[in-house]
Coordinates of all heavy atoms in Angstrom, one line a residue:
M1 N -1.8 -37.6 40.3 CA -2.2 -36.5 39.4 C -1.2 -35.3 39.6 O -0.7 -35.1 40.7 CB -3.6 -36.1 39.7 CG -4.6 -37.2 39.6 SD -4.6 -38.0 37.9 CE -5.3 -36.7 37.0
R2 N -1.1 -34.6 38.6 CA -0.2 -33.4 38.7 C -0.9 -32.2 38.2 O -1.7 -32.2 37.3 CB 1.0 -33.7 37.7 CG 1.9 -34.8 38.2 CD 3.0 -35.0 37.2 NE 3.8 -36.1 37.6 CZ 4.9 -36.5 36.9 NH1 5.3 -35.8 35.9 NH2 5.7 -37.5 37.4
K3 N -0.5 -31.1 38.8 CA -1.0 -29.8 38.4 C 0.3 -28.9 38.2 O 1.0 -28.6 39.1 CB -1.9 -29.2 39.5 CG -2.4 -27.8 39.1 CD -3.4 -27.3 40.1 CE -2.8 -27.1 41.5 NZ -3.8 -26.6 42.4
V4 N 0.5 -28.6 37.0 CA 1.7 -27.8 36.6 C 1.4 -26.3 37.0 O 0.3 -25.8 36.8 CB 2.0 -27.8 35.1 CG1 3.1 -26.9 34.8 CG2 2.3 -29.3 34.7
L5 N 2.4 -25.7 37.7 CA 2.2 -24.4 38.1 C 2.2 -23.4 36.9 O 3.1 -23.5 36.1 CB 3.3 -24.0 39.2 CG 3.3 -24.8 40.4 CD1 4.4 -24.3 41.4 CD2 2.0 -24.9 41.1
A6 N 1.3 -22.5 36.9 CA 1.2 -21.6 35.7 C 2.0 -20.3 36.0 O 1.5 -19.2 35.9 CB -0.2 -21.3 35.5
L7 N 3.3 -20.5 36.4 CA 4.1 -19.3 36.7 C 5.2 -19.3 35.6 O 5.8 -20.3 35.3 CB 4.8 -19.4 38.1 CG 3.8 -19.4 39.3 CD1 4.6 -19.7 40.5 CD2 3.2 -18.0 39.4
P8 N 5.5 -18.2 35.1 CA 6.5 -18.1 34.1 C 7.9 -18.5 34.6 O 8.3 -18.1 35.7 CB 6.6 -16.6 33.7 CG 5.3 -16.0 34.2 CD 4.8 -16.9 35.3
G9 N 8.6 -19.4 33.9 CA 9.9 -19.9 34.3 C 9.8 -21.0 35.4 O 10.8 -21.4 35.9
H10 N 8.6 -21.4 35.7 CA 8.4 -22.4 36.8 C 7.7 -23.7 36.2 O 7.0 -24.4 36.9 CB 7.6 -21.9 37.9 CG 8.3 -20.8 38.7 ND1 8.7 -19.6 38.2 CD2 8.7 -20.8 40.0 CE1 9.3 -18.9 39.1 NE2 9.3 -19.6 40.2
R11 N 8.0 -23.9 34.9 CA 7.3 -25.0 34.2 C 7.6 -26.4 34.8 O 6.8 -27.3 34.6 CB 7.6 -25.0 32.7 CG 6.8 -23.9 32.0 CD 7.3 -23.8 30.6 NE 8.6 -23.3 30.6 CZ 9.3 -22.9 29.5 NH1 8.7 -23.0 28.3 NH2 10.5 -22.5 29.5
F12 N 8.8 -26.5 35.4 CA 9.2 -27.8 35.8 C 8.8 -28.1 37.3 O 9.2 -29.2 37.8 CB 10.7 -28.0 35.6 CG 11.1 -27.8 34.2 CD1 11.8 -26.7 33.8 CD2 10.8 -28.8 33.3 CE1 12.1 -26.5 32.5 CE2 11.2 -28.6 32.0 CZ 11.8 -27.5 31.5
L13 N 8.1 -27.2 37.9 CA 7.6 -27.4 39.2 C 6.2 -27.9 39.2 O 5.4 -27.4 38.4 CB 7.7 -26.1 40.0 CG 9.1 -25.6 40.3 CD1 9.0 -24.2 40.9 CD2 9.9 -26.5 41.1
F14 N 5.8 -28.8 40.0 CA 4.4 -29.2 40.0 C 4.1 -29.7 41.4 O 5.0 -30.1 42.2 CB 4.1 -30.3 39.0 CG 4.9 -31.6 39.2 CD1 4.3 -32.6 40.0 CD2 6.1 -31.8 38.7 CE1 5.0 -33.8 40.2 CE2 6.8 -33.0 38.9 CZ 6.3 -34.0 39.7
V15 N 2.8 -29.7 41.8 CA 2.4 -30.2 43.1 C 1.7 -31.5 42.9 O 0.8 -31.7 42.1 CB 1.3 -29.2 43.7 CG1 0.7 -29.7 44.9 CG2 2.0 -27.8 43.9
Q16 N 2.2 -32.5 43.7 CA 1.5 -33.8 43.8 C 0.3 -33.6 44.6 O 0.3 -33.3 45.8 CB 2.5 -34.8 44.4 CG 2.1 -36.2 44.1 CD 3.1 -37.2 44.6 OE1 3.4 -37.2 45.8 NE2 3.7 -37.9 43.7
E17 N -0.9 -33.7 44.0 CA -2.1 -33.3 44.6 C -2.5 -34.2 45.8 O -3.1 -33.7 46.7 CB -3.2 -33.3 43.6 CG -3.1 -32.2 42.6 CD -4.2 -32.1 41.6 OE1 -5.0 -33.1 41.6 OE2 -4.3 -31.2 40.8
D18 N -2.1 -35.4 45.8 CA -2.5 -36.3 47.0 C -1.8 -35.9 48.2 O -2.3 -36.1 49.3 CB -2.4 -37.8 46.6 CG -1.0 -38.2 46.2 OD1 -0.2 -37.3 45.9 OD2 -0.8 -39.4 46.1
S19 N -0.6 -35.4 48.1 CA 0.2 -35.1 49.3 C 0.4 -33.6 49.5 O 0.7 -33.1 50.5 CB 1.6 -35.7 49.3 OG 2.4 -35.2 48.2
G20 N 0.2 -32.8 48.4 CA 0.5 -31.4 48.4 C 1.9 -31.0 48.4 O 2.3 -29.8 48.5
V21 N 2.8 -32.0 48.2 CA 4.3 -31.7 48.2 C 4.6 -31.1 46.8 O 4.2 -31.7 45.8 CB 5.1 -32.9 48.5 CG1 6.6 -32.7 48.3 CG2 4.8 -33.4 49.9
L22 N 5.5 -30.1 46.8 CA 6.0 -29.5 45.5 C 7.2 -30.3 45.0 O 8.1 -30.5 45.8 CB 6.3 -28.1 45.8 CG 6.7 -27.3 44.5 CD1 5.5 -27.0 43.6 CD2 7.3 -25.9 44.9
Y23 N 7.1 -30.7 43.8 CA 8.2 -31.4 43.2 C 8.7 -30.7 42.0 O 8.1 -29.9 41.4 CB 7.7 -32.8 42.7 CG 7.6 -33.8 43.8 CD1 6.4 -33.8 44.6 CD2 8.5 -34.7 44.1 CE1 6.2 -34.7 45.6 CE2 8.4 -35.7 45.1 CZ 7.2 -35.7 45.9 OH 7.1 -36.6 46.9
M24 N 9.9 -31.1 41.6 CA 10.5 -30.5 40.3 C 11.0 -31.7 39.5 O 11.6 -32.6 39.9 CB 11.7 -29.6 40.7 CG 12.4 -29.1 39.5 SD 13.8 -28.0 39.9 CE 14.9 -29.1 40.7
T25 N 10.7 -31.6 38.2 CA 11.2 -32.6 37.2 C 12.6 -32.2 36.9 O 13.0 -31.2 36.5 CB 10.3 -32.5 36.0 OG1 9.0 -32.8 36.3 CG2 10.8 -33.5 34.9
V26 N 13.5 -33.2 37.2 CA 14.9 -33.0 37.1 C 15.5 -33.6 35.8 O 16.5 -33.2 35.3 CB 15.7 -33.5 38.3 CG1 15.3 -32.6 39.5 CG2 15.4 -34.9 38.6
A27 N 14.8 -34.6 35.3 CA 15.3 -35.3 34.1 C 14.2 -36.0 33.4 O 13.2 -36.4 34.0 CB 16.4 -36.2 34.4
A28 N 14.3 -36.3 32.1 CA 13.4 -37.2 31.4 C 14.2 -38.2 30.6 O 15.3 -37.9 30.1 CB 12.5 -36.3 30.5
M29 N 13.6 -39.4 30.4 CA 14.3 -40.4 29.7 C 13.3 -41.2 28.9 O 12.2 -41.5 29.4 CB 15.0 -41.3 30.7 CG 15.9 -42.4 30.1 SD 16.6 -43.4 31.3 CE 15.2 -44.5 31.8
Q30 N 13.7 -41.5 27.7 CA 12.8 -42.3 26.8 C 12.9 -43.8 27.2 O 14.0 -44.3 27.3 CB 13.2 -42.2 25.3 CG 12.9 -40.8 24.8 CD 11.4 -40.4 24.9 OE1 10.6 -41.3 24.7 NE2 11.2 -39.2 25.3
T31 N 11.8 -44.5 27.5 CA 11.8 -45.9 27.8 C 10.9 -46.6 26.8 O 10.2 -46.0 26.0 CB 11.3 -46.1 29.2 OG1 9.9 -45.9 29.3 CG2 12.0 -45.2 30.2
D32 N 10.8 -48.0 27.0 CA 9.9 -48.7 26.1 C 8.5 -48.3 26.3 O 7.7 -48.5 25.4 CB 10.1 -50.2 26.5 CG 11.5 -50.8 26.1 OD1 12.2 -50.1 25.4 OD2 11.8 -51.8 26.6
R33 N 8.2 -47.8 27.5 CA 6.8 -47.5 27.8 C 6.5 -46.0 27.6 O 5.5 -45.5 28.1 CB 6.4 -48.0 29.2 CG 6.3 -49.5 29.2 CD 5.9 -50.0 30.6 NE 6.9 -49.6 31.6 CZ 6.7 -49.7 32.9 NH1 5.6 -50.1 33.4 NH2 7.7 -49.4 33.8
G34 N 7.4 -45.3 27.0 CA 7.2 -43.9 26.8 C 8.2 -43.1 27.6 O 9.3 -43.6 28.0
T35 N 7.9 -41.8 27.9 CA 8.8 -40.9 28.5 C 8.8 -41.2 30.0 O 7.7 -41.1 30.6 CB 8.5 -39.5 28.2 OG1 8.5 -39.3 26.8 CG2 9.5 -38.5 28.8
G36 N 9.9 -41.4 30.6 CA 10.0 -41.6 32.1 C 10.5 -40.3 32.7 O 11.5 -39.7 32.2
W37 N 9.9 -39.8 33.8 CA 10.2 -38.5 34.4 C 10.8 -38.8 35.7 O 10.3 -39.6 36.5 CB 8.9 -37.7 34.5 CG 8.4 -37.3 33.2 CD1 7.3 -38.0 32.6 CD2 8.7 -36.3 32.3 NE1 7.1 -37.4 31.4 CE2 7.9 -36.3 31.2 CE3 9.7 -35.3 32.4 CZ2 8.0 -35.5 30.1 CZ3 9.8 -34.4 31.3 CH2 9.0 -34.5 30.2
F38 N 11.9 -38.1 36.1 CA 12.5 -38.2 37.4 C 12.2 -36.9 38.1 O 12.6 -35.8 37.7 CB 14.0 -38.4 37.2 CG 14.3 -39.7 36.5 CD1 14.4 -39.8 35.2 CD2 14.5 -40.8 37.3 CE1 14.7 -41.0 34.5 CE2 14.8 -42.0 36.7 CZ 14.9 -42.1 35.3
D39 N 11.5 -37.1 39.3 CA 11.1 -35.9 40.0 C 11.7 -35.9 41.4 O 12.0 -36.9 42.0 CB 9.6 -36.0 40.2 CG 8.9 -36.2 38.9 OD1 9.2 -35.5 37.9 OD2 7.9 -37.0 38.8
Q40 N 11.9 -34.7 41.9 CA 12.6 -34.6 43.2 C 11.8 -33.5 44.0 O 11.5 -32.4 43.4 CB 14.0 -34.1 43.0 CG 14.8 -34.1 44.3 CD 16.3 -33.9 44.0 OE1 16.7 -33.6 42.9 NE2 17.1 -34.1 45.0
A41 N 11.5 -33.7 45.2 CA 10.9 -32.7 46.1 C 11.9 -31.6 46.3 O 13.1 -31.8 46.4 CB 10.5 -33.3 47.4
V42 N 11.4 -30.4 46.2 CA 12.2 -29.2 46.3 C 11.9 -28.4 47.6 O 10.8 -28.2 48.0 CB 12.1 -28.3 45.1 CG1 12.7 -28.9 43.8 CG2 10.6 -27.9 44.8
L43 N 12.9 -27.9 48.2 CA 12.8 -27.0 49.4 C 12.9 -25.6 49.0 O 12.1 -24.7 49.5 CB 13.9 -27.3 50.4 CG 13.9 -28.8 50.9 CD1 15.1 -28.9 51.9 CD2 12.6 -29.2 51.5
F44 N 13.7 -25.3 48.0 CA 13.9 -23.9 47.6 C 13.6 -23.8 46.1 O 14.0 -24.7 45.3 CB 15.3 -23.4 47.9 CG 15.6 -23.4 49.3 CD1 16.2 -24.5 50.0 CD2 15.4 -22.2 50.1 CE1 16.5 -24.4 51.3 CE2 15.6 -22.2 51.5 CZ 16.2 -23.3 52.1
C45 N 13.0 -22.7 45.7 CA 12.8 -22.5 44.2 C 14.1 -22.4 43.5 O 15.0 -21.6 43.9 CB 12.0 -21.2 44.0 SG 11.8 -20.8 42.3
P46 N 14.4 -23.2 42.5 CA 15.7 -23.2 41.8 C 15.8 -21.9 41.0 O 16.9 -21.6 40.5 CB 15.7 -24.4 40.9 CG 14.2 -24.7 40.7 CD 13.5 -24.2 42.0
F47 N 14.8 -21.2 40.8 CA 14.9 -20.0 39.9 C 15.1 -18.7 40.7 O 15.8 -17.8 40.3 CB 13.6 -19.9 39.1 CG 13.3 -21.1 38.3 CD1 12.4 -22.0 38.7 CD2 14.0 -21.3 37.1 CE1 12.2 -23.2 37.9 CE2 13.8 -22.5 36.3 CZ 12.9 -23.4 36.7
C48 N 14.4 -18.6 41.8 CA 14.5 -17.3 42.6 C 14.9 -17.6 44.0 O 15.2 -16.6 44.8 CB 13.1 -16.6 42.6 SG 11.8 -17.5 43.4
G49 N 15.1 -18.8 44.5 CA 15.7 -19.1 45.8 C 14.7 -19.0 46.9 O 15.1 -19.2 48.1
T50 N 13.4 -18.7 46.7 CA 12.4 -18.6 47.7 C 12.2 -20.0 48.4 O 12.2 -21.0 47.7 CB 11.1 -18.1 47.2 OG1 11.3 -16.9 46.6 CG2 10.0 -18.1 48.3
Q51 N 12.2 -20.0 49.7 CA 11.9 -21.3 50.4 C 10.4 -21.6 50.1 O 9.5 -20.9 50.4 CB 12.2 -21.3 51.8 CG 11.9 -22.6 52.5 CD 12.6 -22.8 53.8 OE1 13.0 -21.8 54.5 NE2 12.8 -24.0 54.2
L52 N 10.2 -22.8 49.6 CA 8.8 -23.2 49.2 C 8.2 -24.1 50.2 O 7.0 -24.1 50.4 CB 8.9 -23.9 47.8 CG 9.5 -23.1 46.7 CD1 9.8 -24.0 45.5 CD2 8.6 -22.0 46.3
Q53 N 9.0 -25.0 50.8 CA 8.5 -25.9 51.8 C 9.7 -26.4 52.6 O 10.8 -26.2 52.2 CB 7.7 -27.0 51.1 CG 8.6 -27.8 50.1 CD 7.8 -28.7 49.2 OE1 6.6 -29.0 49.5 NE2 8.5 -29.3 48.2
T54 N 9.4 -27.0 53.7 CA 10.4 -27.6 54.6 C 10.4 -29.1 54.5 O 9.5 -29.7 54.1 CB 10.2 -27.1 56.0 OG1 9.0 -27.8 56.5 CG2 10.1 -25.6 56.2
S55 N 11.6 -29.7 54.9 CA 11.7 -31.1 54.9 C 10.7 -31.7 55.8 O 10.2 -32.8 55.6 CB 13.1 -31.6 55.2 OG 13.5 -31.0 56.4
E56 N 10.4 -31.0 56.9 CA 9.4 -31.5 57.9 C 8.0 -31.6 57.2 O 7.3 -32.5 57.4 CB 9.3 -30.6 59.1 CG 10.5 -30.8 60.0 CD 11.8 -30.1 59.5 OE1 11.7 -29.2 58.7 OE2 12.9 -30.6 59.9
E57 N 7.7 -30.6 56.4 CA 6.4 -30.6 55.7 C 6.3 -31.8 54.7 O 5.3 -32.4 54.6 CB 6.2 -29.3 54.9 CG 5.9 -28.1 55.8 CD 5.9 -26.8 55.1 OE1 6.4 -26.7 54.0 OE2 5.3 -25.9 55.6
I58 N 7.4 -32.1 54.0 CA 7.4 -33.2 53.1 C 7.3 -34.5 53.8 O 6.5 -35.3 53.4 CB 8.8 -33.1 52.3 CG1 8.8 -31.9 51.4 CG2 8.9 -34.4 51.4 CD1 10.1 -31.6 50.7
K59 N 8.0 -34.6 54.9 CA 7.9 -35.9 55.7 C 6.5 -36.1 56.2 O 6.0 -37.1 56.2 CB 8.9 -35.9 56.8 CG 10.4 -36.1 56.4 CD 11.3 -36.0 57.6 CE 12.7 -35.7 57.3 NZ 13.5 -35.2 58.4
G60 N 5.9 -35.0 56.7 CA 4.6 -35.0 57.2 C 3.6 -35.4 56.2 O 2.7 -36.2 56.4
A61 N 3.8 -34.9 55.0 CA 2.8 -35.1 53.9 C 2.9 -36.6 53.5 O 1.9 -37.2 53.2 CB 3.1 -34.2 52.7
S62 N 4.1 -37.1 53.4 CA 4.3 -38.5 53.0 C 3.8 -39.5 54.0 O 3.6 -40.7 53.7 CB 5.8 -38.8 52.7 OG 6.6 -38.7 53.8
R63 N 3.6 -39.1 55.2 CA 3.0 -40.0 56.2 C 1.5 -40.0 56.2 O 0.9 -40.9 56.8 CB 3.5 -39.5 57.6 CG 4.8 -40.1 58.0 CD 5.0 -40.1 59.5 NE 5.0 -38.7 60.0 CZ 6.1 -37.9 60.2 NH1 7.2 -38.4 59.9 NH2 6.0 -36.7 60.7
Q64 N 0.9 -39.1 55.4 CA -0.6 -39.1 55.3 C -1.0 -40.4 54.7 O -0.4 -40.9 53.8 CB -1.0 -37.9 54.5 CG -0.6 -36.6 55.1 CD -1.4 -36.1 56.3 OE1 -2.6 -36.4 56.3 NE2 -0.8 -35.4 57.2
P65 N -2.2 -40.9 55.1 CA -2.7 -42.1 54.4 C -3.1 -41.9 53.0 O -3.4 -40.8 52.6 CB -3.9 -42.5 55.3 CG -4.3 -41.3 56.0 CD -3.0 -40.5 56.2
Ligands
ZN1 ZN1 10.7 -19.0 42.0

């Protein structure tokens, strides 16, 4: 499940709710089954440069059951 952040200029950032890791949609592609989205975990906000999370946090979240 995804929750899009309601911040102006941050429409492509979202939090994956099961892990709490912040991701950014980097590309979209039309496929036979609809629109495919390519997402990448982000360490720094691409808009303002603020550090959002660390790689250790992402690794830790992905290890959660
Ligand atoms: Zn920002």
Side-chain angles (χ1 to χ4, degrees):
M1 301 302 288
R2 296 177 178 183
K3 180 171 67 181
V4 176
L5 300 185
L7 295 170
H10 292 63
R11 279 172 295 190
F12 300 107
L13 297 171
F14 63 91
V15 173
Q16 196 172 64
E17 289 182 351
D18 56 349
S19 66
V21 173
L22 187 70
Y23 284 82
M24 178 178 63
T25 299
V26 294
M29 185 181 76
Q30 292 300 321
T31 73
D32 293 344
R33 292 182 294 168
T35 303
W37 298 96
F38 295 89
D39 308 316
Q40 186 170 12
V42 289
L43 300 180
F44 297 92
C45 176
F47 303 101
C48 64
T50 300
Q51 183 160 22
L52 301 169
Q53 58 193 349
T54 66
S55 56
E56 285 74 22
E57 287 172 341
I58 294 171
K59 286 178 201 162
S62 63
R63 275 201 296 269
Q64 304 281 327

